[in-house]
Amino acid sequence: MHFHESDYCNVNRIPVSELADGQQLEQAFRAADKQLRVNRQGGKYILLKLADKTGVLAAMLWNADERTYDSFDRGDFIYCRGRTQIHNGALQIIVSDLERMDPSEVDLEEFDRYDAAKSEQLVGQLRENFAALQNESLRRLGDAFLADDDFVSRFCKAAAAVTNHHAYPGGLLKHTVDMMELAKLIAPRYPQLDADLLIFGAFLHDLGKIDELAADGEISYTDRGQMLGHIVIGVQMLAEKINQLGDADFPSELRLHLEHMIVSHHGILEYGSPKIPVTLEAVALHHIDNLDAKMSSYTSVIEADVSADGNWTNYNPSIGRKLWKKRD
């Protein structure tokens, strides 16, 4: 089987988000992931994640071999023949054959989830949030981050996760700004909170993901991310930026509070925080983070569900429940 550029261009490609049960497919996808597995009878098959800018679907290629598995890499574009079907309440693709494509054969606009205009708008919100800070040290530190063009470029394209929430290029920036907006709403309700500290903690808490995750191609962990994780990387990034300020007078207690919010924002040791929150700002930050992440991931579950029951999603084992999805 071989496909040429003209073959692809003549195909009316169906976006992942618009696929339905029982459709025959001959079109391009990006291989977000691939695994070679063995069934109970000893036969090999390839488990795939096929993606475009609108979403990701699981796929299977039965009766596979190492030659087919090795013919493409994660992040490559592949042309697939197959059909859609519902399995355990979720839509998937049964692939009959596939072939790696050259990037020149696809319309990259159909696969790039990065929205440059949206990112520019969010960076503008960041600048406004920093300008409104009363604490001069935090305001100068925020301006130093945004004056670093390399940092801003990587921040704009970073993902917040591989699979769970905001798992797309630009997702980290969206998650961060949304959390800062939540902090601005919540802080006035609790006068005992230092609003500037909470808002800046929201900015800092996940910055390490810029170096923990690689967002070019398909999202995956970097070597540094595997070895250190975003919490340690985030503390290092904060230290580097304070040092770049050349400000020997940056308040040591303020720095300590910022570091604590980074290391405790997962809330409990079992979720990867080396320390649990012990300041009011760190407690608030953890709950804001959890709220924004849960709303994003649960919304994704609802949007991806293909259950025949119009009111409820299928039972989702990762969250231990069905979700109500009916919208009037």
Side-chain angles (χ1 to χ4, degrees):
M1 180 182 68
H2 186 71
F3 303 106
H4 299 282
E5 184 174 355
S6 58
D7 298 328
Y8 173 67
C9 291
N10 290 331
V11 171
N12 184 20
R13 190 177 179 283
I14 305 171
V16 166
S17 61
E18 297 177 16
L19 291 174
D21 185 28
Q23 289 177 305
Q24 293 293 325
L25 295 177
E26 290 189 27
Q27 64 182 50
F29 295 94
R30 177 172 251 152
D33 195 13
K34 65 169 187 172
Q35 298 175 35
L36 187 62
R37 294 190 173 184
V38 179
N39 62 26
R40 293 173 185 171
Q41 291 74 41
K44 295 176 181 176
Y45 66 97
I46 301 175
L47 179 63
L48 296 155
K49 288 184 179 177
L50 300 179
D52 64 16
K53 69 185 296 182
T54 70
V56 182
L57 273 184
M60 300 277 203
L61 175 61
W62 300 110
N63 302 316
D65 54 31
E66 283 88 349
R67 183 190 60 80
T68 303
Y69 181 78
D70 293 337
S71 68
F72 66 96
D73 294 321
R74 291 177 181 86
D76 280 350
F77 296 103
I78 55 175
Y79 196 101
C80 297
R81 284 198 181 106
R83 71 181 190 282
T84 57
Q85 69 172 34
I86 292 178
H87 178 68
N88 288 339
L91 193 66
Q92 66 176 17
I93 299 173
I94 303 300
V95 178
S96 55
D97 27 22
L98 58 82
E99 181 173 325
R100 182 185 178 278
M101 301 177 70
D102 189 271
S104 65
E105 296 180 280
V106 304
D107 180 356
L108 296 177
E109 286 287 319
E110 295 182 336
F111 298 92
D112 187 1
R113 296 192 68 182
Y114 176 61
D115 186 334
K118 180 66 173 175
S119 290
E120 186 176 343
Q121 176 194 339
L122 291 171
V123 170
Q125 281 184 258
L126 267 183
R127 294 188 190 281
E128 292 175 9
N129 287 340
F130 287 152
L133 295 173
Q134 301 299 306
N135 185 302
E136 182 181 353
S137 295
L138 291 179
R139 194 165 63 245
R140 290 181 61 243
L141 183 58
D143 290 343
F145 273 106
L146 292 186
D148 183 337
D149 291 339
D150 179 63
F151 165 81
V152 172
S153 176
R154 291 187 298 126
F155 189 21
C156 284
K157 295 182 179 179
V162 174
T163 56
N164 291 331
H165 70 93
H166 300 91
Y168 54 89
L172 179 60
L173 179 59
K174 175 79 164 66
H175 175 52
T176 299
V177 173
D178 283 350
M179 279 188 57
M180 293 175 77
E181 295 300 316
L182 286 170
K184 286 163 58 180
L185 288 171
I186 287 170
R189 305 297 302 173
Y190 302 96
Q192 59 271 46
L193 286 173
D194 182 326
D196 282 2
L197 187 57
L198 178 60
I199 292 166
F200 210 90
F203 166 69
L204 288 176
H205 82 288
D206 267 350
L207 285 192
K209 290 184 176 180
I210 294 172
D211 284 343
E212 181 187 40
L213 303 175
D216 41 333
E218 289 309 308
I219 299 162
S220 59
Y221 286 95
T222 63
D223 291 342
R224 189 181 182 197
Q226 292 277 21
M227 291 184 179
L228 299 182
H230 71 277
I231 288 177
V232 172
I233 295 171
V235 173
Q236 293 174 339
M237 291 174 70
L238 173 62
E240 290 165 5
K241 194 54 66 181
I242 290 176
N243 290 340
Q244 286 173 14
L245 277 177
D247 186 354
D249 296 326
F250 191 90
S252 58
E253 185 174 317
L254 177 59
R255 175 174 179 166
L256 186 63
H257 279 271
L258 294 174
E259 291 171 335
H260 176 66
M261 284 192 288
I262 296 171
V263 302
S264 66
H265 74 267
H266 284 186
I268 59 176
L269 304 180
E270 289 83 352
Y271 289 169
S273 277
K275 289 292 182 180
I276 60 173
V278 296
T279 67
L280 292 178
E281 291 79 16
V283 170
L285 179 67
H286 161 60
H287 287 288
I288 292 170
D289 183 31
N290 195 39
L291 171 64
D292 194 58
K294 288 291 191 295
M295 292 302 293
S296 171
S297 60
Y298 284 25
T299 298
S300 296
V301 169
I302 291 171
E303 290 175 345
D305 185 76
V306 290
S307 169
D309 185 337
N311 291 341
W312 296 93
T313 68
N314 283 283
Y315 178 82
N316 187 301
S318 66
I319 60 175
R321 73 199 76 179
K322 296 181 176 184
L323 290 173
W324 177 263
K325 67 176 183 177
K326 184 179 179 182
R327 291 291 179 266
D328 294 329

